[in-house]
Amino acid sequence: MKKIAVILSGSGVFDGSEIYESVLTFLRLEHNGVAYQCFAPNVEQMHVINHLTGEVAEGEGRNVLVEAARLARGEIKDLAEANPAEFDALIIPGGFGAAKNLSDFAVKGADCTVNPQLVTFARAIHDAGKPVGLVCIAPAMTPKLLGTGIRCTIGSDEGVAGAINSMGGIHENCPVDQIVVDTDNRVVTTPAYMLAGSISEAASGINRLVDEVIKMV
């Protein structure tokens, strides 16, 4: 059976993994009969956001792995334990956690760095010719995560697209229900909630992405 690694960044759109994007990814993988294993880095979140008010919860701290375990129903492992040889592909859902906890793109933009454990794992997958799927804001990490010269999309946000290009990526505008496929580099991206106005809109692109990643395996 094919097995895909899914890397989470917490739980909740404003400070972790986007919950709908993550669940839609799990669901589509299961519909395709593909096994998956969730991972997350065992690090502290950049901050905690009160999702009711949108404000930073002052004085509160949370662990990315512990929070991501909520999404994975406890079936999750420390990213430090991930062995790329055991997986056929990698998918990273979006949510601001990708830009705050997996990287510091939310703060530093094109000058960002990416979690070194994530870079090591993702590069090993990529260098082995295995496909990588990135959802929503996660493609903003592409040049620092996988290397330069890779075509990707976050939708049509000019600021984020400009940052991707300045880091050495090649951004392509893309509607919510479509994907950008870099066949040579085996990277698939979709805008999801960078553009989606509903869960069904997010699903339209995510389903295509998951299907394409599986097809590439």
Side-chain angles (χ1 to χ4, degrees), residues 23-192:
V23 173
L24 288 166
T25 298
F26 303 155
L27 183 62
R28 193 63 172 186
L29 287 168
E30 287 200 9
H31 280 168
N32 279 282
V34 174
Y36 62 89
Q37 174 63 55
C38 293
F39 294 95
N42 188 8
V43 296
E44 292 303 299
Q45 290 184 188
M46 174 183 148
H47 57 205
V48 177
I49 298 292
N50 179 328
H51 280 59
L52 183 62
T53 65
E55 301 296 322
V56 175
E58 298 293 347
E60 187 174 348
R62 297 188 186 183
N63 177 280
V64 174
L65 177 58
V66 171
E67 290 302 296
R70 294 174 178 270
L71 270 175
R73 296 172 61 89
E75 293 296 320
I76 194 166
K77 296 180 180 180
D78 188 332
L79 180 56
E81 301 174 15
N83 178 3
E86 295 178 356
F87 297 95
D88 299 299
L90 164 64
I91 297 177
I92 305 178
F96 278 108
K100 292 178 177 180
N101 303 329
L102 299 183
S103 71
D104 53 10
F105 181 83
V107 178
K108 297 186 177 179
D111 295 323
C112 70
T113 56
V114 179
N115 177 288
Q117 291 176 347
L118 176 56
V119 172
T120 298
F121 181 77
R123 289 279 176 114
I125 293 280
H126 181 61
D127 291 347
K130 300 172 182 177
V132 177
L134 302 164
V135 179
C136 189
I137 190 65
M141 299 187 289
T142 302
K144 300 287 180 80
L145 184 65
L146 302 174
T148 57
I150 298 173
R151 294 166 48 234
C152 64
T153 190
I154 48 79
S156 56
D157 184 285
E158 291 183 4
V160 179
I164 290 171
N165 291 335
S166 69
M167 287 188 283
I170 304 169
H171 183 270
E172 295 186 7
N173 285 353
C174 177
V176 68
D177 62 339
Q178 297 297 316
I179 56 178
V180 167
V181 182
D182 187 321
T183 306
D184 292 340
N185 289 295
R186 300 175 70 75
V187 175
V188 187
T189 52
T190 194

